[in-house]
Amino acid sequence: VQLQASGGGLVQAGGSLRLSCVASGRTFSIYATAWFRQAPGKGREIVTRINWTGSTYYADSVKGRFTISRDNAKNTVYLQMNSLKPEDTAVYYCAAGKGITNDDRLYYYWGQGTEVTVSS
């Protein structure tokens, strides 16, 4: 599976962005898909994930502001980010794996990352 993330950019605090992660290769729907992020000088952290049943998980820091969704027909996972804060500034990565987990080591496939910058 190859993943291609896009949609990052510069936005003011309170604004919105939608990230996309398009998969090619094997059937995307059999995988759990997650968005991770890595802020400057910090480790990578999970933002949200969605599994093959549509069940989701959100980090406390983004609950109520971010929404993950998937379109299996388009092999695409989306991350709608609303009410963005400066602390959301990071490189965002999509990842796919077979397990339902927040552990980035258990995701086999990774996109190249898309940068999100939120100005105050």
Side-chain angles (χ1 to χ4, degrees):
V1 176
Q2 292 79 44
L3 303 179
Q4 179 75 33
S6 63
L10 173 64
V11 63
Q12 288 188 330
S16 298
L17 283 173
R18 188 176 80 158
L19 307 184
S20 299
C21 178
V22 180
S24 58
R26 295 185 178 181
T27 303
F28 194 41
S29 61
I30 66 173
Y31 294 95
T33 309
W35 287 96
F36 290 83
R37 67 185 180 187
Q38 187 165 19
K42 296 187 177 180
R44 189 160 56 190
E45 63 176 0
I46 190 164
V47 177
T48 178
R49 55 174 165 79
I50 186 168
N51 69 13
W52 45 88
T53 68
S55 178
T56 58
Y57 163 87
Y58 294 94
D60 287 344
S61 59
V62 305
K63 278 182 183 176
R65 299 188 298 121
F66 290 12
T67 303
I68 189 170
S69 61
R70 64 191 299 163
D71 185 334
N72 290 332
K74 295 183 178 180
N75 270 1
T76 303
V77 171
Y78 302 100
L79 179 61
Q80 179 65 45
M81 306 187 295
N82 298 328
S83 302
L84 282 160
K85 303 176 181 179
E87 51 263 45
D88 295 318
T89 294
V91 177
Y92 284 70
Y93 300 89
C94 61
K98 285 294 189 68
I100 303 174
T101 178
N102 294 344
D103 188 341
D104 60 356
R105 296 170 297 178
L106 300 180
Y107 285 83
Y108 311 140
Y109 308 106
W110 290 83
Q112 83 287 4
T114 184
E115 189 166 1
V116 172
T117 302
V118 185
S119 63
S120 57

